[in-house]
Amino acid sequence: MMPWWYTASSTLLLSLGAAAWDYSTYNSTGFQPPNLVVNKTGTTEPGFIFLGPRGGVQTAGQAALIYDDEENLVYEGPEEVTANFMVQELNNEPVITFWAGDMMDIGYGYGSVHILDRSYKEIYTVTLQGAFVTPDNSTKDSYIDLHESHITPRNTLLVTAYNLTQHDLTSINGSSSDWMLDSHFYEIDIPTNKVVNSWSALEQEADIPLTTSHQKLGGDVGTQDSPYDAYHINAITTTNDGYLISLRHMWSGYYIHNNGSVIWRVSGEDGGDFKQVGNAGFSWQHDMRVFNETDEGLVLNLFNNANTPTNTESPTTGVSLAIDLTKKTVTSLRSLSDPNDSIHSVKEYDGDGNLVLSAQFGEDNAVASYRGYRCQWSAVPFWSPVANVTRTANGANVYMSWNGATDYDNWVIYSGASNDSVNSQQIGSANRTGFETMINLTSLPTSPIHVVALQGSTVLGTSGDISF
Ligand SMILES: *[C@@H]1O[C@H](CO)[C@@H](O)[C@H](O)[C@H]1NC(C)=O
Ligand SMILES: *[C@@H]1O[C@H](CO)[C@@H](O)[C@H](O)[C@H]1NC(C)=O
Ligand SMILES: *[C@@H]1O[C@H](CO)[C@@H](O)[C@H](O)[C@H]1NC(C)=O
Ligand SMILES: *[C@@H]1O[C@H](CO)[C@@H](O)[C@H](O)[C@H]1NC(C)=O
Ligand SMILES: *[C@@H]1O[C@H](CO)[C@@H](O)[C@H](O)[C@H]1NC(C)=O
Ligand SMILES: *[C@@H]1O[C@H](CO)[C@@H](O)[C@H](O)[C@H]1NC(C)=O
Ligand SMILES: *[C@@H]1O[C@H](CO)[C@@H](O)[C@H](O)[C@H]1NC(C)=O
Ligand SMILES: *[C@@H]1O[C@H](CO)[C@@H](O)[C@H](O)[C@H]1NC(C)=O
Ligand SMILES: *[C@@H]1O[C@H](CO)[C@@H](O)[C@H](O)[C@H]1NC(C)=O
Ligand SMILES: *[C@@H]1O[C@H](CO)[C@@H](O)[C@H](O)[C@H]1NC(C)=O
Ligand SMILES: *[C@@H]1O[C@H](CO)[C@@H](O)[C@H](O)[C@H]1NC(C)=O
Ligand SMILES: *[C@@H]1O[C@H](CO)[C@@H](O)[C@H](O)[C@H]1NC(C)=O
């Protein structure tokens, strides 16, 4: 498990108009990812930066993206809106997981969770069906929301889902049949898509009263088209006796028993079931994670967003809290912030709380990624390396790349067809330079050629034949 301050990296939720930002282009592929601008100010963890930019990003760069610390693209997935792109463990093997689907204006989504192995082969596609009600009564292929896709130690998947329902909102000055969003979570068996446990916030209304919501009911909110989002579930993780969930609009985390009952609540406003010690407050939070749980207590880490498009509480911070079940206290252990740059990038802090890396992938609020991760990852794609040959006056420039391959470090060009070892001759070589490597051949080779990606002298991949 990675230290928490690497996983609790920046979350950008605001999305304004498109703004100027530079995108990369290549000759060996049509990818156009947004440039990642990295400011490294210390020693980072090994691994890559995982992002899923959307919003102001041009369509060609809206995908699951992996970059290295030197600002090079490493992997670009299919063009789609994604969230929570990261490495997790499934059956003791590292896998890539991400949500992809449609995002609604009011900040939730309908989609599926994709699970890829170390060759980027999709080994599981997790979906959720059910009698869900949507703003326009349309049916969806899958109702998994974008906020969470967490693989549990028992190799199941925890996801969030939102359901529209009419409910009595007179306790918060609404009508007796207003439309609202219920927050659900589901634990799903990955190979079969079978639901093994499910939960609804509205079914626990006695313990989670609507009157504790910080989301105000007003204007035209409360219709089917514009439902009231009382809870806004955005994180779940397993605990010894059940689950820990984050309800962003309640400024609270809840320990939910396996049987669905609320065991306790920690509130960022007033502590909830605990007495706040030190600055243990938070608001509009994301990404709650549990560490070191015992019968006496646990450590809770979270991303204290503290902002919405219409409400500014305080600067955004990363927060670590100790919950003591015996003394009934919640104590601040650590708070991370960057006074020089409060928003707009992914940030990594070391164990002493020093900022060691900021990475920006768009301008201001024009572009967003729901969570950003530092993950170790080693992959040999199931597809082959590719190359593009452009003739020069007397020779040719050969552009080579291998999307997603993490481990190769040099290239060799051979004349001849890849299945013809007798007539194949090495005509060029170079060390890897980021995503795409160019070799300038000073005389025009005979067509076709093929290229080989190696780690040292070990061949990892061979292209098809390239005719020109
Ligand atoms: C693509 O190839 C052309 C011709 O060799 C070259 O002028 C251009 O700079 C190359 N583009 C990139 C992104 O390398
Ligand atoms: C190779 O790159 C050139 C310059 O970008 C482009 O015009 C050409 O279509 C590319 N060829 C292939 C086969 O992709
Ligand atoms: C890089 O980060 C340091 C520390 O926060 C800051 O002082 C500096 O201005 C940043 N540089 C750039 C180019 O953003
Ligand atoms: C959705 O279906 C319900 C029940 O049939 C109906 O009352 C409602 O008007 C429909 N809403 C829309 C947006 O079509
Ligand atoms: C969604 O809400 C509707 C209306 O209250 C209800 O009939 C339906 O069962 C709910 N769906 C799920 C999956 O709970
Ligand atoms: C309900 O309206 C009353 C009167 O306008 C107001 O005092 C009260 O704060 C409102 N309650 C909520 C929960 O908005
Ligand atoms: C769930 O379990 C807790 C702890 O044992 C218990 O207090 C609660 O009453 C149970 N709830 C239900 C609905 O069985
Ligand atoms: C969990 O406990 C270990 C051992 O006491 C400690 O080193 C570690 O920092 C704790 N983790 C968190 C997130 O507090
Ligand atoms: C903010 O900038 C100042 C001046 O460049 C620098 O000394 C300080 O370390 C920076 N703070 C962080 C958290 O990077
Ligand atoms: C290589 O492949 C081509 C086309 O698939 C085939 O025609 C040719 O006989 C093969 N050559 C060798 C040496 O196997
Ligand atoms: C290629 O990389 C190797 C290993 O890092 C290094 O020893 C060698 O000098 C590099 N070759 C060139 C041409 O840069
Ligand atoms: C390729 O090499 C030739 C000969 O050294 C040189 O004239 C030409 O400018 C080079 N082309 C590129 C694109 O580097």
Side-chain angles (χ1 to χ4, degrees), residues 204 257-263:
Q204 307 298 325
H257 191 272
N258 279 314
N259 65 21
S261 293
V262 177
I263 305 291

Side-chain angles (χ1 to χ4, degrees), residues 54 65 75 82 105 186 268 322-323 364:
R54 62 174 172 80
L65 301 173
Y75 169 75
T82 67
D105 287 343
Y186 291 83
I323 291 184
D364 297 330

Side-chain angles (χ1 to χ4, degrees), residues 78-99:
E79 280 166 24
E80 55 195 348
V81 173
T82 67
N84 298 333
F85 180 40
M86 67 179 122
V87 177
Q88 302 192 67
E89 263 195 12
L90 177 61
N91 301 317
N92 301 315
E93 291 289 332
V95 291
I96 269 183
T97 64
F98 63 96
W99 175 91

Side-chain angles (χ1 to χ4, degrees), residues 26-29 73 384-390 396-403 405 408-414 427-441 449-454 461-464 466:
Y26 308 95
N27 276 333
S28 56
T29 144
L73 180 71
S384 300
V386 293
N388 174 309
V389 180
T390 311
N397 290 333
V398 182
Y399 296 88
M400 297 155 289
S401 66
W402 193 10
N403 186 32
Y408 78 90
D409 54 26
N410 70 101
W411 290 100
V412 174
I413 306 177
Y414 290 95
I427 54 172
S429 67
N431 282 341
R432 177 182 190 166
T433 57
F435 184 81
E436 184 173 78
T437 303
M438 194 272 272
I439 294 181
N440 181 346
L441 299 173
I449 62 165
H450 65 277
V451 302
V452 172
L454 306 97
T462 301
S463 74
I466 301 133

